[in-house]
Amino acid sequence: MSIARRAYKTIPTMPNTINFFMWGYQTHFRAQLEYRAKSIFQLLGAETEPRVLLVGMRRPGLSQGHPVCVEPEDGVWPLAIFGDLPTRVEQAIPSHPAQLILYGDERTNREKPERIRQATITDEVKRALDRADQMTGWQSFCSTAHPVDDYDVVCVLQLPVRLFRQFPPVSVTYNREVYETSLTLACIQVLLQEARRGLGLPEPGRMIGDDGLRSPEEITRRAASNFMRSSFIAEKFCTVDLFEAVNRLSQQRYEGDIGIGRLVLAAADDPNVNYVLRLAYPVRITEPRWARKLLQMATGPSALVAEYDTISGLGTVSDVSASPFSVEFLDHHQWDLCRGEQVLMRCRFGEVLLPQETIGKERFIDNMRRVFPGINEPAIARFRIVLDLLAQLRHGSSLVIGSDAEDEAERLVRQGTKIVRTPLTKELLERATAIDGTILADPAGICHAVGVILDGPASEESTPSRGARYNSAVRYVASGDVPRMAFVISEDRTLDVIPLLRSRVSRSRIEEAVAEIASATLDTFHNARSFLDEHRFYLDAEQCQIVNEALDRIVNEPVEVGRIIIQTPRFEPHPAFDETYLSADDGVSR
């Protein structure tokens, strides 16, 4: 849901209906935090639906209110999960490790019991959720508890386990202890820190759109900085923001040339480093012009060797396990953070991204089958390899797959080079993309022409913000009377699949949500409204009418003074929607 495009209103009457009441704006705070989590993972390029839960335990010495509260109270987390939370907290406090620590100042010692209590509440909430997570395929992350009115409140962020299989963490050693880190985990940590800070603000959740927390963009950049700082040469204390330093270096040019090369992070005296040349006086990476001049030499097998923020020379690392982290400078203001061959994080023009595939395997297969009905499995696998090969190229290129490729090669013979039928191979792609124009192939993976200049009338999908290669492919694919698809690598290394059809969504899930909102009240319609708002493309005309009538009824119910009602734009059937976008299973096709 986009806060920016919503209007809000307040309507009088009716008492507060929150049963597990902690403070008046707990529902709003949780919804804002969940929205911020969704925005963060959208910025990172991850297809996931994070969930947020609030768990509150009544503070000592108070008898009013429930001993434990959860928000949302009608969500997937039953209160029974936390039924014995107060007992477990009281039992765990005496044996908490921090009890053995004595501080040198009176204030810190005075605050110690409260900090231990809050840490223990957090630990016990996490322990209770871990047991439930094992059966649901989700993983829970908790902020440290913070007092809000009469409760110590823990913010819980839940993410599907498959996200951590898709973007696995890496192990690093600090003080002889091994721990895991990743961009995903760093983002979770920063978000939960923000959540706890938000709980400490006056009336958390009261202000929508101005809640005093950092924006999703700020959170991802801070997380990227933390990730890079914690992942390398951990024993060396550094105050330099390596993320920002590398970003500035990637923007520098040397005599007009963009910076392409590699920087390996290793201790200057690491015995596994074989220097081609070693600097007598190391250069700080925070001196971007000087560092950029050195980067000009870091091509081929040799790389700049940097002890976190200090460049010590140019060389190679013989044992990758000794220094697995590196920065690959790919183009102007574009770089990857790697460990060996594994890409851990991408940065494109200052934007932080997870190293995900342009299109997931399942969605790629589904897209191919829907565009080319009857295409066989070997052909789909071949085009998957082709897409990966194109993505590895360091220059713009495009390939069009068309059921009419053979005829089109003949029609466009004066706008390209027709060739004898040849299967697509790595060598053919490398040679054919060295010249301007598009490669033309059929759904069986047979190439019919190279260097083709595409034609086609203007299309609504064209955009002036993208280059000629992309817009030409859009026009050509849209103009065909037979199935066509294009793979386009733009000069800025953006990879597009045209058309990339929307994911298919479970028919039963849409029907359930429509039925749910049709019978919902002002207190129970939120989940269905949110789901339908995000999936409005998949509703037909009859379902749109049912939802609109339900929303009209619900928003006109009387509510108490001060309550916020989200005004949802009217639902209308999308002209591009048809039955092929619905699946018969119980989940969402990716």
Side-chain angles (χ1 to χ4, degrees), residues 291-309:
R292 172 63 189 88
K293 187 173 183 178
L294 296 175
L295 182 64
Q296 190 71 12
M297 300 186 290
T299 57
S302 296
L304 290 184
V305 179
E307 188 168 348
Y308 190 75
D309 60 338

Side-chain angles (χ1 to χ4, degrees), residues 29-248:
F29 181 82
R30 189 202 67 81
Q32 291 173 41
L33 187 58
E34 187 169 271
Y35 175 74
R36 190 174 254 94
K38 290 180 179 179
S39 299
I40 287 169
F41 284 98
Q42 286 175 357
L43 284 174
L44 295 177
E47 293 183 355
T48 191
E49 287 292 319
R51 306 188 304 204
V52 170
L53 163 71
L54 305 180
V55 181
M57 195 179 91
R58 192 174 61 201
R59 291 182 60 76
L62 300 174
S63 58
Q64 297 296 317
H66 295 277
V68 179
C69 292
V70 294
E71 167 63 42
E73 58 189 55
D74 58 350
V76 298
W77 308 273
L79 186 63
I81 294 177
F82 311 103
D84 60 346
L85 180 63
T87 301
R88 287 189 284 109
V89 169
E90 295 306 321
Q91 290 174 345
I93 284 177
S95 58
H96 193 279
Q99 295 284 12
L100 302 176
I101 301 175
L102 295 177
Y103 298 97
D105 65 286
E106 180 184 350
R107 178 179 175 181
T108 304
N109 277 316
R110 192 169 60 248
E111 294 171 346
K112 186 173 79 169
E114 179 72 3
R115 289 201 307 274
I116 289 176
R117 178 178 182 81
Q118 291 171 354
T120 304
I121 293 172
T122 302
D123 292 342
E124 294 303 325
V125 168
K126 179 70 165 64
R127 188 172 289 112
L129 286 168
D130 284 346
R131 291 193 292 267
D133 288 346
Q134 291 175 5
M135 299 179 289
T136 61
W138 290 72
Q139 187 168 347
S140 297
F141 301 86
C142 300
S143 71
T144 304
H146 193 282
V148 181
D149 291 351
D150 294 344
Y151 286 85
D152 286 309
V153 181
V154 176
C155 299
V156 181
L157 174 66
Q158 290 194 318
L159 292 159
V161 172
R162 58 178 169 78
L163 180 71
F164 302 97
R165 291 196 296 265
Q166 185 180 4
F167 307 108
V170 293
S171 298
V172 296
T173 302
Y174 179 64
N175 286 340
R176 299 181 180 178
E177 292 187 12
V178 178
Y179 69 97
E180 292 187 329
T181 182
S182 70
L183 176 60
T184 302
L185 293 174
C187 283
I188 292 169
Q189 182 182 38
V190 176
L191 176 61
L192 291 176
Q193 289 170 350
E194 284 296 294
R196 187 175 191 271
R197 188 169 70 87
L199 290 175
L201 298 174
E203 298 182 294
R206 178 174 176 269
M207 300 301 295
I208 293 182
D210 185 22
D211 52 16
L213 302 185
R214 291 182 176 88
S215 69
E217 292 81 4
E218 291 176 300
I219 289 174
T220 56
R221 289 180 72 90
R222 178 174 286 250
S225 294
N226 291 349
F227 176 42
M228 292 188 71
R229 183 179 292 112
S230 64
S231 299
F232 325 114
I233 320 297
E235 290 77 10
K236 181 179 179 181
F237 179 76
C238 293
T239 57
V240 170
D241 188 334
L242 184 60
F243 172 78
E244 292 297 342
V246 170
N247 238 350
R248 287 193 295 272

Side-chain angles (χ1 to χ4, degrees), residues 253-312:
R253 294 178 181 268
Y254 179 72
E255 296 184 351
D257 290 344
I258 59 175
I260 296 176
R262 186 163 168 258
L263 182 148
V264 174
L265 289 134
D269 296 324
D270 190 323
N272 296 290
V273 176
N274 301 309
Y275 284 102
V276 174
L277 61 87
R278 184 167 182 177
L279 303 176
Y281 303 101
V283 173
R284 302 274 288 181
I285 198 171
T286 50
E287 300 180 62
R289 291 188 178 181
W290 199 349
R292 172 63 189 88
K293 187 173 183 178
L294 296 175
L295 182 64
Q296 190 71 12
M297 300 186 290
T299 57
S302 296
L304 290 184
V305 179
E307 188 168 348
Y308 190 75
D309 60 338
T310 304
I311 299 172
S312 55

Side-chain angles (χ1 to χ4, degrees), residues 459-480:
S459 168
E460 291 184 358
E461 300 298 322
S462 297
T463 171
S465 65
R466 300 299 301 274
R469 183 178 286 108
Y470 172 85
N471 285 303
S472 295
V474 167
R475 290 195 299 269
Y476 181 78
V477 168
S479 67

Side-chain angles (χ1 to χ4, degrees), residues 210-426:
D210 185 22
D211 52 16
L213 302 185
R214 291 182 176 88
S215 69
E217 292 81 4
E218 291 176 300
I219 289 174
T220 56
R221 289 180 72 90
R222 178 174 286 250
S225 294
N226 291 349
F227 176 42
M228 292 188 71
R229 183 179 292 112
S230 64
S231 299
F232 325 114
I233 320 297
E235 290 77 10
K236 181 179 179 181
F237 179 76
C238 293
T239 57
V240 170
D241 188 334
L242 184 60
F243 172 78
E244 292 297 342
V246 170
N247 238 350
R248 287 193 295 272
L249 178 56
S250 72
Q251 299 175 57
Q252 296 291 318
R253 294 178 181 268
Y254 179 72
E255 296 184 351
D257 290 344
I258 59 175
I260 296 176
R262 186 163 168 258
L263 182 148
V264 174
L265 289 134
D269 296 324
D270 190 323
N272 296 290
V273 176
N274 301 309
Y275 284 102
V276 174
L277 61 87
R278 184 167 182 177
L279 303 176
Y281 303 101
V283 173
R284 302 274 288 181
I285 198 171
T286 50
E287 300 180 62
R289 291 188 178 181
W290 199 349
R292 172 63 189 88
K293 187 173 183 178
L294 296 175
L295 182 64
Q296 190 71 12
M297 300 186 290
T299 57
S302 296
L304 290 184
V305 179
E307 188 168 348
Y308 190 75
D309 60 338
T310 304
I311 299 172
S312 55
L314 182 74
T316 60
V317 180
S318 59
D319 182 0
V320 294
S321 66
S323 180
F325 295 102
S326 65
V327 175
E328 303 282 348
F329 294 91
L330 304 171
D331 206 332
H332 181 66
H333 212 177
Q334 300 181 55
W335 54 275
D336 288 348
L337 175 66
C338 305
R339 184 180 192 180
E341 297 298 320
Q342 180 186 1
V343 179
L344 305 177
M345 179 177 76
R346 300 190 192 281
C347 188
R348 301 293 182 266
F349 304 102
E351 295 183 2
V352 181
L353 298 168
L354 285 166
Q356 67 172 10
E357 301 168 296
T358 301
I359 172 174
K361 180 180 179 181
E362 292 181 8
R363 191 175 182 190
F364 179 82
I365 293 172
D366 181 65
N367 201 66
M368 292 293 295
R369 285 174 175 168
R370 290 161 67 188
V371 175
F372 299 108
I375 190 171
N376 59 39
E377 295 298 324
I380 294 176
R382 185 179 303 115
F383 283 116
R384 182 70 185 169
I385 294 172
V386 166
L387 185 64
D388 290 340
L389 291 172
L390 290 173
Q392 295 170 21
L393 298 175
R394 293 185 178 273
H395 54 77
S397 59
S398 62
L399 178 143
V400 167
I401 311 160
S403 299
D404 57 349
E406 187 169 8
D407 293 338
E408 284 293 279
E410 185 64 39
R411 183 181 73 83
L412 298 171
V413 69
R414 294 184 179 277
Q415 296 176 218
T417 302
K418 183 179 179 182
I419 66 172
V420 175
R421 294 165 50 93
T422 306
L424 290 172
T425 62
K426 179 180 180 180

